[in-house]
Amino acid sequence: MIDGCIFDLDGVIVDTAHYHFIAWKRLADELGITFTEQDNERLKGVSRMDSMSILLEIGGLHMDLTHQTELADKKNVWFVDFVEKMQPEEIFPGVKQLLKKLRSKGVKIALASSSKNARRVLQLLDIEGEFDAIVDGNMIINTKPDPEIFLLAASRIHIDPKQCLVFEDAEAGVEAALAAGMKCIGIGSMQQLGKAHKILSKTADFDINDLSTF
Ligand code: G6P
Ligand code: MG
């Protein structure tokens, strides 16, 4: 039985995954690195600095950590520029209603995002109060695919990991959820997220009557 639902943020609740891509692409262009949406799949769910390393690996470039940090900071400024213009209407249709429905059924709700900007995004979408617990990139050491973030989220809502259902759009996130011993719904394509227990194209497609099937 599922007693807790844990949501990733970028690409699950709102399309900030696209803003991350545009910002990384701009940096890649500056560095002369060819960077496609397919390449971007590897960056989803992982921390800012791990994303930086993957981008450099894709481009076959090497640089010291100070320079990498400067570039990652620059990418973050571009990303935050997009974020600060966000309106509450940008939340994916039906997601706020889903959160409310789950809570009205007594299901505990947590957010687990590797992003250090997660809380700000929730504030701008006006949904910070919809969660029983919020865990973000500032609170963990190891990012997805390590299970740390999901285990911390489960402990914050006091639910056994086996009774948690994770909503994830990243391959690294699906792996993290499975490593945590949780059930997982992949939001996106079977090709990318095939290891998840179920795939949906949109978060709001989840039918709360299906909770008992996991
Ligand atoms: C999420 C996104 C990643 C992003 C990471 C760090 O996991 O899926 O694409 O790189 O958060 O985000 P931040 O806002 O801290 O740079
Ligand atoms: Mg995501």
Side-chain angles (χ1 to χ4, degrees):
M1 181 61 196
I2 299 300
D3 292 322
C5 285
I6 305 180
F7 290 83
D8 172 50
L9 175 65
D10 301 312
V12 167
I13 288 180
V14 63
D15 200 10
T16 34
H18 185 60
Y19 296 151
H20 278 294
F21 171 65
I22 297 174
W24 284 121
K25 172 86 177 120
R26 183 169 168 188
L27 185 64
D29 288 348
E30 278 195 4
L31 295 169
I33 298 173
T34 306
F35 181 66
T36 64
E37 296 233 23
Q38 179 72 25
D39 294 323
N40 186 56
E41 289 299 320
R42 290 179 61 197
L43 272 55
K44 288 185 178 176
V46 304
S47 70
R48 194 179 308 163
M49 287 309 289
D50 286 350
S51 299
M52 188 69 229
S53 302
I54 297 170
L55 181 67
L56 293 176
E57 186 200 306
I58 290 169
L61 297 183
H62 299 275
M63 60 182 65
D64 61 41
L65 196 58
T66 309
H67 194 189
Q68 289 188 34
T69 307
E70 278 168 20
L71 294 179
D73 287 349
K74 191 154 114 171
K75 177 266 170 185
N76 189 54
V77 169
W78 295 329
F79 175 73
V80 169
D81 272 352
F82 285 119
V83 163
E84 290 297 331
K85 294 189 192 87
M86 282 172 58
Q87 301 291 322
E89 296 72 41
E90 276 192 58
I91 189 168
F92 285 139
V95 170
K96 194 167 178 175
Q97 292 82 342
L98 174 63
L99 298 176
K100 284 186 184 299
K101 247 192 264 174
L102 286 166
R103 273 181 111 187
S104 74
K105 291 270 173 202
V107 176
K108 295 281 180 203
I109 305 290
L111 184 101
S113 167
S114 306
S115 174
K116 294 184 172 170
N117 295 297
R119 203 170 268 275
R120 182 67 185 137
V121 171
L122 296 182
Q123 282 166 357
L124 289 161
L125 294 178
D126 199 20
I127 53 166
E128 214 184 348
E130 303 295 332
F131 297 90
D132 296 297
I134 294 169
V135 180
D136 68 20
N138 299 294
M139 299 159 74
I140 48 160
I141 295 168
N142 306 297
T143 52
K144 303 165 188 175
D146 190 283
E148 180 181 343
I149 195 164
F150 290 129
L151 293 172
L152 181 58
S155 78
R156 292 283 168 101
I157 52 174
H158 310 290
I159 305 288
D160 189 306
K162 288 196 280 302
Q163 288 159 345
C164 289
L165 176 62
V166 171
F167 291 75
E168 253 300 343
D169 71 319
E171 198 172 348
V174 172
E175 282 173 23
L178 299 184
M182 299 177 178
K183 301 289 187 294
C184 185
I185 294 192
I187 307 297
S189 76
M190 178 66 96
Q191 184 200 355
Q192 213 65 242
L193 309 172
K195 291 182 195 151
H197 294 90
K198 185 172 182 158
I199 307 279
L200 296 175
S201 57
K202 300 193 302 293
T203 308
D205 288 346
F206 183 68
D207 180 347
I208 64 163
N209 295 314
D210 286 349
L211 277 177
S212 56
T213 65
F214 285 92

